[in-house]
């Protein structure tokens, strides 16, 4: 049975997290909007930039949540310490670990809906935002969906079915696979269909590889194959690259499908595997950060104001985020086990926090 003290501490952590998260998400959206306004053009207006910032808000909220959870827990539970309530709980025999566990329970009540948002809402809105931005910058109507991107290129309709993030010479790059190009005449009749297994941009030109071309003429259908073919297009690689959803913003289902596709085709899937594990372990990362903040609450929260607790939380959160991202990049570059590079930092942080809480008097 959940005791009253557990509910009380958990509620304090939950309210603190919701408050800090709301404020920081609004600030992050504002900064994103200000940065996006610098990219405005005649076709990509300030109103379009605002819509783009709103569409990317779910992704932003998901990304900043771990640090917000840490800072919010420090504010919420630290407020109890400032009022000597934690001292009263300790005097009555409640251990620090139990109080920390109550804070983690309150954190988990927020974390699970945030994880659901990152799985179902954020990936869809992020994809729509990137496609919307590209369509405005190109001045063309572009559609994004489960079959990749659809766009118009002069008298052609192009379907990029499989945009992939790959590693080449230690750097991430975008590759297009299964590209369908429909060529139409001025009267709107279909002239030919080209299916390319790959499409790359190098030395200022697009190149199609392993191309199957089907040409249509009155009473005749002709099919040709070529290992390489030039793609005469007005598409700018940097804009198309910006429209491709990164693994960090994809759902678990999409990450799994990309991994399966890459494995079936003998491609390196380490980037997608890394982000799949990171998303699965998202609650563990959040709880580890909040647990790591509890020693600060019990050690000095009575003597520090809210500003100091926020500074401590932000410092710990930023340092952990940098280390965590560094370890993930290291794992992607050198194919290290995800248990070491993704789960390892959070598990180490949580273990250190538990040891400190147990040894504290």
């Amino acid at each position: 049975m959940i005791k009253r003290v557990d509910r009380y501490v958990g509620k304090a952590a939950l309210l603190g997290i919701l408050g800090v998260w709301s404020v920081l998400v609004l600030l992050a959206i504002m900064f994103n909007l200000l940065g996006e306004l610098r990219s405005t053009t005649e076709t990509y207006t300030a109103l379009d930039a605002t819509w783009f910032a709103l569409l990317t808000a779910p992704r932003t909220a998901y990304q900043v949540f771990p640090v917000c959870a840490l800072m919010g827990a420090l504010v919420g539970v630290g407020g109890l310490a400032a009022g000597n309530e934690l001292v009263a709980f300790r005097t009555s025999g409640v251990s620090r670990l139990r109080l920390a566990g109550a804070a983690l329970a309150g954190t988990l009540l927020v974390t699970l809906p945030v994880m659901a948002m990152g799985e179902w809402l954020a990936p869809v809105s992020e994809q729509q935002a990137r496609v919307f931005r590209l369509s405005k910058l190109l001045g063309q109507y572009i559609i994004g969906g489960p079959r990749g991107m659809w766009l118009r290129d002069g008298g052609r309709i192009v379907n990029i079915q499989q945009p992939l993030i790959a590693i080449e010479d230690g750097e991430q790059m975008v590759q297009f696979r299964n590209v369908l190009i429909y060529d139409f005449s001025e009267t709107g009749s279909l002239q030919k269909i080209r299916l390319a297994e790959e499409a790359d941009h190098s030395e200022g030109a697009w190149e199609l590889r392993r191309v199957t071309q089907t040409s249509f003429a009155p009473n005749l259908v002709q099919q040709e194959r070529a290992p390489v073919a030039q793609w005469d297009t007005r598409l700018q690689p940097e804009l198309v690259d910006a429209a491709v959803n990164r693994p960090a913003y994809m759902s678990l289902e999409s990450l799994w499908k990309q991994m399966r596709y890459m494995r079936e085709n003998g491609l390196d899937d380490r980037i997608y595997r890394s982000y799949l594990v990171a998303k699965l372990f998202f609650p563990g990362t959040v709880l580890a950060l909040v647990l790591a903040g509890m020693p600060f609450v019990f050690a000095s929260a009575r003597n520090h104001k809210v500003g100091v607790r926020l500074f401590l939380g932000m410092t710990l959160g930023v340092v952990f985020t940098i280390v965590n991202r560094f370890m993930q990049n290291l794992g992607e570059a050198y194919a290290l086990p995800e248990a070491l590079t993704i789960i390892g930092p959070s598990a180490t942080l949580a273990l250190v926090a538990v040891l400190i809480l147990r040894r504290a008097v």
Side-chain angles (χ1 to χ4, degrees), residues 37-54:
L37 287 174
R38 291 181 291 184
S39 303
T40 55
T41 63
E42 291 183 359
T43 58
Y44 186 59
T45 64
L47 185 60
D48 295 328
T50 303
W51 180 240
F52 175 83
L54 291 176

Side-chain angles (χ1 to χ4, degrees), residues 77-96:
V77 182
L80 301 182
N84 293 325
E85 293 177 82
L86 293 186
V87 175
F89 293 149
R90 290 287 295 121
T91 304
S92 62
V94 181
S95 68
R96 287 180 172 85

Side-chain angles (χ1 to χ4, degrees), residues 79-130:
L80 301 182
N84 293 325
E85 293 177 82
L86 293 186
V87 175
F89 293 149
R90 290 287 295 121
T91 304
S92 62
V94 181
S95 68
R96 287 180 172 85
L97 281 177
R98 177 178 168 182
L99 293 173
L104 293 182
T107 303
L108 193 60
L109 289 178
V110 193
T111 304
L112 293 179
V114 172
M115 189 176 181
M117 179 184 69
E119 173 63 17
W120 288 293
L121 177 60
V124 175
S125 64
E126 181 70 20
Q127 183 190 44
Q128 293 301 317
R130 288 175 174 269

